[in-house]
Amino acid sequence: YLITNLYKGVKRVSMSIKSIKDEKGLTGVDIAISLVIVTMFVAIIANLIANINLDTEKMDRKSKALAYAVQEIETRRATGYIEKYNGMGTSKEGETLKEEDIYNNSEFTGYHKVVSIKDDILVENSGTKTADTTKQITVEVFYKLGNNEESIKISTYISKE
């Protein structure tokens, strides 16, 4: 039974192939359908390439912003707690230490950073902390991505020794 059905299936396939071989040339409908299919594939591939490029640009801009923020944080940590910080950052919003555009070899990079300071008693007040012993330093780097402004923010703590 199985062999009989298999034979019939092979015979149908060979007849279909023979009927395709009997047709000569392509019709206008065949060409139109193939052009539509090729156009669809080209559009899909172009869209994928555009999305990949946009994602790559987004990751590149974000990683550069992160590098600028980390560089500023590391500079502040290396300097440590300085007397200038005494009395700073005691308001609820904190206080801006520095705000500037970021340049590389006197060429504007498209990034802007804001460095702010906040006293630790405002960040987490357990009632036992005293002012001007620990400060939270926050660096926020802003950049444009398309028509949107994006930012990345990191913080660290600096304590008196």
Side-chain angles (χ1 to χ4, degrees):
Y1 174 74
L2 181 63
I3 294 177
T4 306
N5 283 338
L6 183 63
Y7 175 74
K8 287 179 183 175
V10 169
K11 191 173 182 180
R12 274 192 227 124
V13 169
S14 66
M15 288 176 62
S16 297
I17 291 174
K18 187 176 182 180
S19 66
I20 290 173
K21 285 183 180 179
D22 289 342
E23 294 182 19
K24 296 195 169 54
L26 298 173
T27 65
V29 173
D30 294 337
I31 293 172
I33 290 173
S34 64
L35 285 176
V36 167
I37 291 171
V38 168
T39 304
M40 286 174 34
F41 282 124
V42 168
I44 289 169
I45 291 171
N47 191 21
L48 286 174
I49 290 172
N51 285 339
I52 289 170
N53 287 339
L54 183 62
D55 287 345
T56 302
E57 178 69 20
K58 183 177 182 179
M59 286 187 294
D60 184 48
R61 299 280 291 165
K62 190 172 186 173
S63 67
K64 284 182 182 176
L66 182 61
Y68 289 132
V70 167
Q71 182 181 17
E72 182 67 32
I73 286 285
E74 291 302 321
T75 301
R76 298 287 171 170
R77 292 180 88 189
T79 305
Y81 192 102
I82 56 178
E83 292 302 314
K84 173 184 165 186
Y85 295 162
N86 284 337
M88 294 182 84
T90 54
S91 69
K92 280 194 171 192
E93 296 81 32
E95 190 172 329
T96 300
L97 283 175
K98 181 167 72 170
E99 182 171 351
E100 65 184 7
D101 291 329
I102 301 173
Y103 288 87
N104 187 12
N105 296 329
S106 71
E107 186 177 318
F108 180 59
T109 59
Y111 295 89
H112 180 80
K113 73 178 167 188
V114 176
V115 182
S116 59
I117 187 169
K118 189 183 260 189
D119 201 293
D120 192 38
I121 61 171
L122 295 174
V123 177
E124 184 181 325
N125 191 356
S126 63
T128 60
K129 294 183 178 181
T130 59
D132 292 330
T133 56
T134 304
K135 301 289 184 176
Q136 179 187 39
I137 305 289
T138 302
V139 177
E140 189 166 13
V141 178
F142 299 91
Y143 58 96
K144 288 284 238 180
L145 186 63
N147 293 330
N148 301 329
E149 183 172 81
E150 303 284 330
S151 70
I152 190 161
K153 182 190 267 189
I154 59 174
S155 298
T156 190
Y157 289 92
I158 299 176
S159 299
K160 272 187 180 178
E161 295 194 17

